[in-house]
């Protein structure tokens, strides 16, 4: 469980997110949505300890986050940021980066690390690219390499900042299915998603933000029915294809 208690955070002592109280359950998929600039990335960076809060407490498994060393935290939390320059490195070596928190002083990967990296690459169906340079891959393939790196890091909690942005629809859905698989492995996912339909369809909980605060944090159905999405984005939303909950789809239009 990750808990944020009365958290405020920002940059240069200016509050961007405030009064954040949220408890995220283990093994759940959580999507943070909200208008541009409302503080989604700031929330993600604060919850993952990349940004120190100005006020409040963050707990992981009941323990204050400041009580962990960086190495301990790197074994509990992984964070995939949105904007990444493309490194000049092979797929295998990039995925091996996920093992760094586990390597000893010599930084030499052991047999166990190599096995874990190979398994992560296989899990993402990237075997044929294993010795390729990441620069030679498409955006969708590259995103899968980063997810393999996260898998190799083997943390219980995974933060993803817009993991599907700039990808075509097939790759978007493939990445979301991978995220579901990560959940089935027992991992807790907290991600910023721009696509409201995907957020509602793929998450267990939606965290809707407005001007640095949480407007509502609840199940997709409760959030949808609350009409808070419509209010915050100034749109009209509707649900289509009734029936089985798993098949629920959402459409949106301007008011
Ligand atoms: P979102 O992810 O919802 O688009 P962000 O959390 O990225 O929003 O940004 C929220 C606000 O914080 C914006 O007004 C942005 O200008 C400001 N901000 C973001 N990053 C920084 C930074 N590194 N330094 C100063 N201000 C920042």
């Amino acid at each position: 469980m990750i808990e944020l208690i009365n958290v405020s955070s920002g940059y240069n002592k200016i509050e961007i997110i405030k009064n954040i109280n949220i408890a995220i359950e283990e093994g759940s998929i959580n999507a943070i949505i909200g208008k541009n600039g409302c503080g989604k990335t700031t929330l993600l960076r604060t919850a993952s300890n990349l940004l120190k809060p100005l006020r409040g407490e963050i707990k992981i498994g009941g323990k204050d986050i400041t009580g962990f060393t960086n190495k301990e935290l790197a074994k509990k939390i992984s964070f995939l940021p949105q904007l990444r320059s493309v490194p000049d490195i092979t797929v295998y070596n990039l995925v091996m980066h996920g093992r760094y928190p586990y390597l000893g002083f010599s930084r030499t990967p052991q047999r166990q690390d190599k096995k874990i990296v190979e398994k992560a690459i296989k899990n993402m169906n990237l075997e044929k690219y294993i010795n390729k340079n990441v620069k030679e891959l498409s955006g969708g393939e590259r995103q899968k390499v980063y997810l393999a790196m996260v898998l190799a890091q083997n943390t219980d909690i995974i933060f993803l900042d817009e993991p599907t942005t700039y990808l075509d629809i097939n790759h978007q859905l493939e990445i979301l299915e991978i995220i579901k698989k990560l959940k089935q492995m027992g991992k807790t996912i907290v991600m910023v998603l721009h696509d409201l339909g995907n957020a509602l369809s793929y998450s267990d909980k939606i965290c809707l933000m407005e001007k640095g605060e949480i407007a509502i944090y609840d199940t997709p159905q409760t959030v949808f029915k609350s009409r808070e999405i419509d209010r915050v984005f100034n749109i009209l939303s509707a649900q289509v294809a009734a029936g089985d909950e798993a098949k629920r789809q959402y459409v949106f239009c301007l008011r």
Side-chain angles (χ1 to χ4, degrees):
M1 171 125 105
I2 318 160
E3 285 169 278
L4 276 74
I5 305 152
N6 291 325
V7 167
S8 297
S9 185
Y11 310 91
N12 311 317
K13 295 190 178 149
I14 298 167
E15 254 183 17
I16 299 287
I17 56 169
K18 45 197 175 289
N19 311 320
I20 302 292
N21 284 290
I22 190 170
I24 295 166
E25 269 172 46
E26 252 173 65
S28 61
I29 298 179
N30 300 267
I32 306 173
I33 59 171
K35 283 177 145 179
N36 286 337
C38 72
K40 301 181 294 295
T41 298
T42 306
L43 175 58
L44 210 61
R45 297 188 70 213
T46 307
S48 59
N49 202 44
L50 286 175
L51 192 62
K52 297 271 170 281
L54 298 166
R55 258 195 304 282
E57 254 184 296
I58 300 165
K59 289 185 180 175
I60 293 183
K63 186 175 162 182
D64 198 292
I65 205 165
T66 55
F68 295 97
T69 64
N70 283 344
K71 210 160 179 174
E72 279 170 349
L73 266 187
K75 292 178 190 173
K76 289 193 174 295
I77 290 177
S78 44
F79 182 95
L80 213 49
Q82 190 198 358
L83 291 171
R84 293 183 296 264
S85 51
V86 184
D88 189 5
I89 189 173
T90 65
V91 166
Y92 182 86
N93 286 339
L94 182 62
V95 177
M96 185 59 83
H97 271 76
R99 297 306 299 162
Y100 279 15
Y102 298 89
L103 302 186
F105 188 65
S106 69
R107 295 215 139 195
T108 314
Q110 304 299 305
R111 235 179 76 196
Q112 159 95 343
D113 299 302
K114 292 177 187 167
K115 259 174 126 173
I116 290 171
V117 165
E118 280 158 22
K119 199 171 157 200
I121 289 172
K122 196 163 171 226
N123 228 307
M124 295 292 150
N125 286 324
L126 292 166
E127 293 109 309
K128 60 175 182 279
Y129 303 121
I130 193 162
N131 293 316
K132 267 208 165 187
N133 193 302
V134 174
K135 279 188 189 294
E136 293 168 43
L137 304 183
S138 73
E141 290 156 354
R142 211 176 284 147
Q143 190 64 306
K144 279 166 62 181
V145 177
Y146 278 105
L147 285 168
M149 180 182 79
V150 163
L151 204 53
Q153 197 177 334
N154 194 25
T155 61
D156 289 337
I157 304 165
I158 301 173
F159 291 97
L160 305 167
D161 198 353
E162 296 186 24
T164 58
T165 303
Y166 306 124
L167 301 183
D168 63 37
I169 185 71
N170 298 80
H171 280 105
Q172 279 184 35
L173 295 175
E174 193 181 356
I175 297 294
L176 289 164
E177 290 299 326
I178 289 170
I179 289 166
K180 261 196 190 165
K181 235 165 85 177
L182 295 174
K183 172 192 155 148
Q184 281 155 13
M185 293 175 184
K187 299 186 183 296
T188 308
I189 319 285
V190 186
M191 59 183 170
V192 172
L193 268 196
H194 260 302
D195 189 301
L196 298 178
N198 282 341
L200 288 162
S201 304
Y202 277 87
S203 313
D204 297 304
K205 288 274 183 73
I206 299 282
C207 174
L208 171 64
M209 292 191 69
E210 184 185 23
K211 296 181 188 139
E213 297 193 64
I214 296 175
I216 185 168
Y217 175 62
D218 217 312
T219 60
Q221 264 305 286
T222 306
V223 171
F224 172 75
K225 284 184 178 154
S226 75
R227 295 274 149 211
E228 282 290 89
I229 292 178
D230 297 28
R231 184 185 64 76
V232 168
F233 287 92
N234 200 22
I235 55 173
L236 279 174
S237 59
Q239 202 169 291
V240 290
D244 184 351
E245 184 154 349
K247 290 186 190 133
R248 275 186 182 138
Q249 299 286 319
Y250 301 85
V251 288
F252 307 90
C253 65
L254 287 172
R255 260 186 220 270

